C-alpha cells in the first residue's frame, strides 16, 4: 500500500507543489541553514518587518530546504511523497492487526480520498507518520487495556519541531485515559489516574522540547483566534456541500453503516464525532479524520464483522521486501531525474521579471503570490503566515482587494506607500487600478497583472 501511494504521488509530482507556502517553507529553511539560527522576528515582509515571529515548523523547513539544495524541486516532491506513503503504509499495518485485508483496504482508500486535497509538500505531511504511530500506540492501550506507551514519548519531541499541531498529540491522551477509567470500577479510578497522569505530564514536557519552549503548542489557538479572517483562507473554510465530493460520499456511507446497526463504545463515538466536527469546520482538518478515525474504529469493527485471523503471520518474505525496496529506489530515481516545478498559478516569475518588480520598492501582492516573493527575495505585503499578520490585517486586506471597502483600498495604497501591485487577473482591485489615473498597467498574463504608479511616491 505504501509503495502504491508513493508511486501515485511521484506520478502526480507537480500536484504536491501546488501550494504557495511550499516556496516560503523552502526559503525559510534556507534562511535557517544560512544563519545557523531561528528567526525571532519577521525578516521577509515590509508590512510587518521586525515584528515578533517564530517559525514553529523549523525542522520540516530545514528538511525541505536540504532536499531542495540537493535535488531541486524533485527532491522536495520525493520527501513529501515518501512521508505520505509511509503514513499510509503504517496505517495499513496497524489496521491489519484488527481487520481483514478487504476491510483494511476499504478503510485506507477512504483515508486516501479524504487526505487527497491536502497532499502537499508542506510540514503537515512530514508529521503524518509520527501522528499515526502515536495514535496507534494509544489506541493499542485502549484495545488491550495496557499501560501507557512510554516508549512513544520521544515521538512528541519530533512532532513538536516538525509541525505546530503538537497540542493534538496531547489531546489524544484524553480518550485513552477516559476509556481506561470506564473499563474499571470506580474504586480502581485512583490507580488508573496514577498510571496515566505521570505519562501525561511527561508528554507535556516532551512537547515543550523545542527551541521556543511551549510556545508552539499555542499556535493552533493563535490561528483559530483569527476569527472571521479564516473565511478568506481556503483551507480554513468549512466543508462545501454545494457539489458532490469525496467527503460527502464518505459521510453518507458512514451514516448508512450506522443505520445497519453498527455500534461503537462511547469513547470511540466521542473521538470520531470530534474528528468529524473538526473536518466539517475546516477543510484542512479532513486529514485528521482520514488518518485517525480508522485507528479508533478498527477494533470495534473487527469484533463486529470479523477481523484479522487469529493465527496472523507475517506475509512479507525477504524476496518481497527486496523487490519493494528495488521499486522504491527505482521510482525515486525516476522522480529525481524528472523536471517538476511548482504550479504556474502561484509562480508569477514572468510578471516579476517583465515589470522589473525586484527594483520597484513596495509591492502589494496577491495572497497566493506571497510564497514565491519570499522565495525570490522580494519583501511581501502579505503571505501565508497568518499568525504573523493577524485577523484584522488579513480581513482588511481581503475586503480592500475585493473592493468591499473602496475607500480603504485607496487608503491602503497610500498608508503603506505602495509603488506597484502584483495581483491575480480576476481580482476586483485590478479593474479599479485600470481606471485610476495615477496607476498604469505595465504587465499582464494569465497568472498575474502588474500596475505601477505613474510617479514614484514620495518617501
Amino acid at each position: 500500500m505504501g509503495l502504491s501511494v508513493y508511486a501515485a504521488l511521484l506520478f502526480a509530482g507537480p500536484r504536491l507543489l501546488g501550494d504557495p507556502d511550499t516556496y516560503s517553507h523552502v526559503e525559510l529553511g534556507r534562511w535557517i541553514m544560512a544563519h545557523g539560527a531561528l528567526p525571532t522576528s519577521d525578516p521577509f515582509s515590509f508590512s510587518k518587518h521586525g515584528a515578533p515571529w517564530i517559525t514553529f515548523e523549523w525542522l520540516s523547513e530545514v528538511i525541505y530546504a536540504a532536499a531542495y539544495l540537493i535535488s531541486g524541486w524533485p527532491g522536495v516532491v520525493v520527501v513529501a511523497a515518501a512521508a505520505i506513503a509511509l503514513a499510509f503504509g503504517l496505517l495499513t499495518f496497524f489496521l491489519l492487526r484488527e481487520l481483514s485485508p478487504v476491510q483494511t483496504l476499504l478503510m485506507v482508500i477512504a483515508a486516501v480520498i479524504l487526505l487527497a486535497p491536502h497532499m502537499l509538500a508542506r510540514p503537515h505531511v512530514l508529521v503524518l507518520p509520527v501522528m499515526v504511530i502515536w495514535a496507534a500506540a494509544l489506541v493499542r492501550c485502549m484495545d488491550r487495556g495496557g499501560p501507557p506507551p512510554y516508549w512513544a514519548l520521544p515521538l512528541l519531541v519530533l512532532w513538536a519541531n516538525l509541525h505546530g499541531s503538537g497540542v493534538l498529540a496531547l489531546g489524544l491522551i484524553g480518550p485513552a485515559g477516559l476509556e481506561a477509567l470506564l473499563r474499571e470500577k470506580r474504586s480502581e479510578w485512583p490507580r488508573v489516574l496514577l498510571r496515566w497522569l505521570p505519562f501525561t505530564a511527561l508528554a507535556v514536557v516532551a512537547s515543550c522540547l523545542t527551541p521556543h519552549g511551549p510556545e508552539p503548542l499555542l499556535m493552533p489557538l493563535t490561528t483559530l483566534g483569527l476569527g472571521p479572517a479564516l473565511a478568506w483562507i481556503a483551507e480554513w473554510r468549512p466543508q462545501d456541500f454545494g457539489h458532490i465530493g469525496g467527503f460527502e460520499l464518505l459521510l453518507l456511507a458512514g451514516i448508512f453503516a450506522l443505520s445497519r446497526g453498527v455500534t461503537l463504545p462511547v469513547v470511540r463515538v466521542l473521538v470520531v464525532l470530534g474528528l468529524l466536527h473538526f473536518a466539517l469546520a475546516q477543510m484542512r482538518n479532513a486529514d485528521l479524520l482520514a488518518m485517525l478515525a480508522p485507528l479508533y474504529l478498527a477494533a470495534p469493527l473487527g469484533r463486529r464483522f470479523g477481523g484479522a485471523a487469529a493465527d496472523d503471520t507475517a506475509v512479507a518474505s525477504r524476496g518481497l521486501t527486496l523487490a519493494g525496496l528495488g521499486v522504491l529506489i527505482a521510482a525515486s530515481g525516476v522522480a529525481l531525474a524528472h523536471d517538476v516545478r511548482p504550479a504556474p498559478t502561484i509562480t508569477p516569475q514572468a510578471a516579476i521579471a517583465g515589470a522589473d518588480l525586484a527594483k520597484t520598492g513596495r509591492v502589494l501582492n496577491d495572497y497566493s503570490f506571497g510564497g514565491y516573493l519570499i522565495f525570490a527575495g522580494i519583501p511581501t505585503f502579505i503571505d501565508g503566515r497568518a499568525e504573523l499578520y493577524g485577523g484584522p490585517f488579513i480581513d482588511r486586506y481581503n475586503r480592500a482587494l475585493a473592493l468591499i471597502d473602496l475607500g480603504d483600498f485607496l487608503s491602503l495604497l497610500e498608508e503603506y506607500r505602495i509603488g506597484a501591485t502584483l495581483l491575480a487577473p480576476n481580482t476586483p482591485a485590478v479593474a479599479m487600478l485600470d481606471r485610476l489615473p495615477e496607476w498604469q498597467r505595465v504587465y499582464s498574463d494569465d497568472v498575474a497583472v502588474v500596475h505601477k504608479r505613474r510617479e514614484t511616491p514620495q518617501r
Side-chain angles (χ1 to χ4, degrees):
M1 180 60 69
L3 285 173
S4 299
V5 172
Y6 185 63
L9 290 175
L10 292 184
F11 180 77
R15 170 68 179 77
L16 274 68
L17 301 176
D19 190 277
D21 286 348
T22 300
Y23 273 123
S24 56
H25 287 308
V26 169
E27 180 58 29
L28 186 50
R30 293 197 296 185
W31 190 98
I32 294 171
M33 294 168 69
H35 291 79
L38 303 183
T40 57
S41 61
D42 169 43
F44 298 120
S45 78
F46 66 85
S47 57
K48 295 288 184 178
H49 185 75
W53 174 75
I54 64 169
T55 171
F56 50 93
E57 299 165 331
W58 70 272
L59 184 54
S60 292
E61 289 157 343
V62 169
I63 292 173
Y64 279 131
Y68 179 81
L69 291 174
I70 295 171
S71 305
W73 291 115
V76 175
V77 169
V78 165
V79 168
I84 298 170
L86 177 59
F88 278 109
L90 290 168
L91 179 65
T92 304
F93 171 77
F94 291 129
L95 293 181
L96 283 172
R97 297 191 303 191
E98 307 292 345
L99 300 173
S100 69
V102 173
Q103 295 165 346
T104 296
L105 181 62
L106 293 175
M107 282 272 199
V108 175
I109 290 175
V112 169
I113 294 172
L114 286 176
L115 188 62
H118 211 204
M119 291 182 184
L120 301 164
R122 287 173 48 184
H124 71 276
V125 302
L126 298 188
V127 85
L128 286 178
V130 179
M131 181 175 71
V132 170
I133 298 174
W134 172 256
L138 293 172
V139 171
R140 190 71 167 177
C141 296
M142 299 169 70
D143 295 337
R144 301 293 185 265
Y150 281 90
W151 61 267
L153 288 175
L155 293 173
L156 298 187
V157 181
L158 184 60
W159 188 332
N161 290 280
L162 284 172
H163 191 248
S165 58
V167 67
L168 169 67
L170 300 180
L172 294 178
I173 299 175
L178 179 59
E179 190 159 294
L181 283 174
L182 296 179
R183 188 182 294 111
E184 302 291 343
K185 297 179 180 179
R186 186 167 299 182
S187 60
E188 296 294 320
W189 283 10
R191 180 183 60 81
V192 175
L193 290 174
L194 288 176
R195 170 183 284 186
W196 282 93
L197 287 179
F199 175 78
T200 304
L202 289 176
V204 172
V205 172
S207 298
C208 294
L209 296 179
T210 75
H212 307 291
E215 194 168 353
L217 288 176
L218 304 178
M219 280 301 165
L221 300 179
T222 302
T223 302
L224 293 175
L226 297 176
L230 286 176
W232 296 103
I233 305 174
E235 66 180 354
W236 287 102
R237 294 172 188 164
Q239 291 290 338
D240 179 13
F241 293 107
H243 61 278
I244 297 178
F247 186 93
E248 181 179 0
L249 293 175
L250 291 173
L251 180 60
L252 294 175
I255 295 173
F256 176 77
L258 291 175
S259 70
R260 306 299 294 175
V262 176
T263 58
L264 299 170
V266 62
V267 175
R268 312 294 175 104
V269 171
L270 293 175
V271 170
V272 174
L273 286 177
L275 294 172
L276 181 59
H277 165 74
F278 289 138
L280 289 170
Q282 286 100 27
M283 286 188 285
R284 65 172 291 160
N285 289 329
D287 54 347
L288 302 182
L289 182 66
M291 305 305 289
L292 296 180
L295 294 171
Y296 286 90
L297 294 173
L301 293 181
R303 290 192 291 267
R304 171 67 175 80
F305 297 108
D311 58 343
D312 185 36
T313 58
V315 296
S317 68
R318 178 177 298 179
L320 287 175
T321 301
L322 292 176
L325 289 175
V327 172
L328 182 70
I329 294 171
S332 301
V334 171
L336 291 173
H338 185 61
D339 185 24
V340 296
R341 297 178 183 277
T345 55
I346 60 171
T347 309
Q349 183 176 8
I352 291 173
D356 199 18
L357 287 183
K359 300 178 180 179
T360 298
R362 297 187 169 191
V363 179
L364 177 66
N365 63 280
D366 191 275
Y367 181 86
S368 62
F369 298 154
Y372 181 76
L373 290 180
I374 290 177
F375 185 80
I378 300 175
T380 63
F381 181 83
I382 194 170
D383 51 72
R385 296 170 297 161
E387 72 283 356
L388 168 66
Y389 295 98
F393 184 95
I394 295 173
D395 191 54
R396 181 191 181 191
Y397 163 84
N398 282 285
R399 288 174 60 84
L401 265 62
L403 300 185
I404 295 174
D405 191 336
L406 175 58
D408 194 47
F409 171 63
L410 300 177
S411 298
L412 201 68
L413 296 175
E414 301 303 323
E415 179 182 340
Y416 287 94
R417 304 194 302 276
I418 302 299
T421 63
L422 176 69
L423 303 173
N426 60 350
T427 306
V430 168
M432 174 56 61
L433 289 165
D434 284 336
R435 290 164 174 78
L436 293 176
E438 63 269 30
W439 289 87
Q440 178 182 12
R441 181 187 287 224
V442 298
Y443 183 91
S444 63
D445 59 22
D446 294 338
V447 175
V449 177
V450 177
H451 287 83
K452 286 187 176 181
R453 286 186 186 269
R454 294 184 184 275
E455 296 181 0
T456 304
Q458 296 180 356
R459 298 182 182 277

